[in-house]
Amino acid sequence: MTATTATLRLEPAGRCCWDEPVRIVVRGLAPGQPVTLRASLRDEKGALFRAHARYCADAGGELDLTRAPALGGSFAGLEPMGLLWALEPEKPFWRFLKRDVQTPFAVELEVLDGHDPEARRLLGRAVHERDFLPPGVRREPVRAGRVRATLFLPPGPGPFPGIIDLFGVGGGLMEYRASLLAGHGFATLALAYYDFEDLPKEFDIINMDYFEEALCYMLQHSQVKGPGIGLLGISLGADICLSMASFLKNVSATVSINGSGFSGNKTICYKETCIPPLGHDLRRIKIAFSGIPDIVDIRNDTVGGCENPSMIPIEKAQGPILFIVGQDDHNWRSELYAQIVSERLQAHGRETPQIISYPGTGHYIEPPYFPLCPASLHKLLDKPVIWGGEPRAHSKAQVDAWEQILTFFCTHLGGTWKEASPKL
């Protein structure tokens, strides 16, 4: 006998933030009934993402994803959040992004009878809304001098510890990480630096003056608690953060997510000092087994190791540095670069940085439960490239890295962060 209807129950029942876990329970099934759970969402550009997994109800006709292992599908094993992190785009090379943090993503969840992919009967459905603007967080567009950004302020009177958040070569203004960070008590500035409004469409030189202006904006803001600011960046954004920490005053803590510690393709300048780019050779592009270009080795060799002239003078950095590293990063060899930075710091009598390396983890280490982006369009090459990562390992790394980042900033900026929800 099989049930003809089932109830999907979610905890928390209402909306929750994207970086929070949700418990999915199905009730009203027959004992041991085989079912398939399906998740889908459309991003703001209409691109469809889907995941599914096969399960069996327990002896009481209940299916609790915190206790029941998936028997196959998009993932297998005990993965309470698998229906989110295993979402895959229908369109190839499409990266999962949140462009407008003021609206939630609506995840449609469906329970279907049986494991047969064809002619499944729908037993129940629910829509689960996941927010990027946590309750009480204030979003303030910033157009101050040359600075183009959005400031997210936590709920409450403040002042709050401040963070500047930077993304990579994609350009534009990405707000989703900053908005989620504000939900954990940090006044966070999502900072654009090119290809946004009246900022340059392209750039050849990374001029620290612009980033110094953004740092001054934060230090002078009445809602930002000094005496220093935290910096968080991924990819090129991480290298800009490492440069800011090395050249500018009042930086208290820096997190590099898959940064390199080198001036890669652009000269980095601050006042009279210029760091020449390491450069690259496109003839070193390999074609992966999938047929997609792999750019991991296109950069020129780091001749001279930690004394290479293209290295950011990280020994001048104020405050501690945390390196978050994906061991399977195919944008560049992040793990090797973090080791070279560590050698440079030690050679100059500085403290060894904290390096957390994650196996099976690719380039885009995002907030928790973001689906892995294994390959997508590279803006500078104008073709898809592989970014690395294995979905399950990458997902686990994102959850842990987020906690490590929050703890690091809390420790060094004096925040009052509390873990939002118990781990599932």
Side-chain angles (χ1 to χ4, degrees):
M1 181 185 150
T2 59
T4 55
T5 60
T7 309
L8 259 166
R9 198 165 68 87
L10 307 173
E11 292 176 20
R15 285 156 73 153
C16 73
C17 284
W18 190 276
D19 63 337
E20 293 176 299
V22 64
R23 185 177 179 186
I24 301 169
V25 180
V26 184
R27 291 197 172 134
L29 298 168
Q33 182 173 348
V35 291
T36 300
L37 264 62
R38 201 159 62 187
S40 62
L41 74 73
R42 283 191 186 275
D43 70 10
E44 289 112 326
K45 295 202 170 180
L48 182 65
F49 288 78
R50 281 182 175 154
H52 74 281
R54 297 183 285 277
Y55 292 94
C56 282
D58 66 14
E62 184 176 281
L63 172 62
D64 182 343
L65 268 54
T66 62
R67 296 202 301 263
L71 306 173
S74 303
F75 56 93
L78 189 63
E79 296 292 344
M81 293 294 286
L83 289 168
L84 286 176
W85 64 249
L87 286 165
E88 287 188 62
E90 202 175 44
K91 202 173 169 178
F93 313 126
W94 192 259
R95 185 176 164 197
F96 182 91
L97 285 175
K98 191 72 179 86
R99 292 168 177 85
D100 176 9
V101 299
Q102 296 172 95
T103 58
F105 265 149
V107 184
E108 185 177 35
L109 297 165
E110 295 175 312
V111 188
L112 301 136
D113 183 33
H115 290 166
D116 180 7
E118 301 303 318
R120 294 191 199 123
R121 190 169 75 254
L122 183 67
L123 304 177
R125 66 183 291 276
V127 175
H128 171 49
E129 291 194 329
R130 296 183 69 79
D131 278 317
F132 287 81
L133 199 61
V137 167
R138 293 159 285 168
R139 178 185 177 275
E140 298 183 354
V142 175
R143 307 291 181 268
R146 289 181 298 167
V147 176
R148 300 292 174 265
T150 305
L151 179 63
F152 292 92
L153 294 169
F160 309 97
I163 295 170
I164 295 175
D165 184 28
L166 290 167
F167 279 80
V169 294
L173 180 58
M174 294 286 184
E175 297 182 351
Y176 60 83
R177 197 166 56 197
S179 62
L180 291 172
L181 281 169
H184 295 280
F186 299 100
T188 311
L189 188 76
L191 180 62
Y193 53 95
Y194 89 107
D195 198 17
F196 177 72
E197 291 186 357
D198 58 349
L199 291 174
K201 285 278 170 267
E202 293 174 357
F203 64 102
D204 294 315
I205 293 174
I206 298 168
N207 202 316
M208 285 292 110
D209 291 353
Y210 174 77
F211 301 97
E212 188 171 37
E213 203 175 316
L215 189 66
C216 290
Y217 171 83
M218 287 293 276
L219 289 165
Q220 290 163 10
H221 199 287
S222 62
Q223 290 292 292
V224 177
K225 183 171 84 177
I229 300 295
L231 305 176
L232 170 63
I234 185 168
S235 195
L236 173 61
D239 289 336
I240 292 171
C241 287
L242 293 170
S243 303
M244 289 171 75
S246 303
F247 289 120
L248 309 179
K249 291 183 173 66
N250 302 109
V251 173
S252 294
T254 304
V255 177
S256 160
I257 302 173
N258 282 332
S260 73
F262 281 80
S263 174
N265 300 328
K266 315 283 182 189
T267 302
I268 298 172
C269 289
Y270 181 62
K271 299 199 182 337
E272 305 306 310
T273 306
C274 283
I275 305 167
L278 189 62
H280 63 267
D281 184 349
L282 294 179
R283 290 173 300 183
R284 295 191 194 187
I285 294 177
K286 297 179 287 197
I287 301 299
F289 181 72
S290 59
I292 305 164
D294 182 352
I295 61 169
V296 72
D297 286 322
I298 67 166
R299 276 188 160 190
N300 292 335
D301 293 335
T302 54
V303 179
C306 68
E307 295 303 326
N308 185 289
S310 293
M311 259 203 105
I312 295 161
I314 200 72
E315 69 280 0
K316 296 178 181 172
Q318 297 180 6
I321 302 168
L322 168 62
F323 285 88
I324 300 286
V325 170
Q327 290 180 11
D328 192 38
D329 183 355
H330 278 256
N331 183 61
W332 50 45
R333 297 198 180 274
S334 294
E335 192 174 26
L336 171 68
Y337 286 139
Q339 292 302 331
I340 296 172
V341 169
S342 184
E343 285 165 23
R344 183 171 179 119
L345 287 167
Q346 289 173 75
H348 287 266
R350 295 293 306 273
E351 207 173 299
T352 311
Q354 186 183 357
I355 301 172
I356 305 175
S357 280
Y358 294 100
T361 302
H363 187 61
Y364 284 124
I365 299 175
E366 300 275 22
Y369 318 121
F370 265 58
L372 167 70
C373 179
S376 69
L377 190 73
H378 191 293
K379 186 160 180 176
L380 300 184
L381 295 176
D382 199 30
K383 59 174 77 171
V385 301
I386 62 168
W387 301 116
E390 181 277 309
R392 188 170 177 274
H394 191 96
S395 172
K396 296 225 174 317
Q398 288 184 159
V399 173
D400 188 73
W402 190 242
E403 296 217 3
Q404 298 278 2
I405 290 165
L406 292 171
T407 303
F408 180 80
F409 281 137
C410 196
T411 302
H412 300 294
L413 301 178
T416 53
W417 172 67
K418 298 282 186 291
E419 192 173 347
S421 334
K423 283 187 179 173
L424 288 172

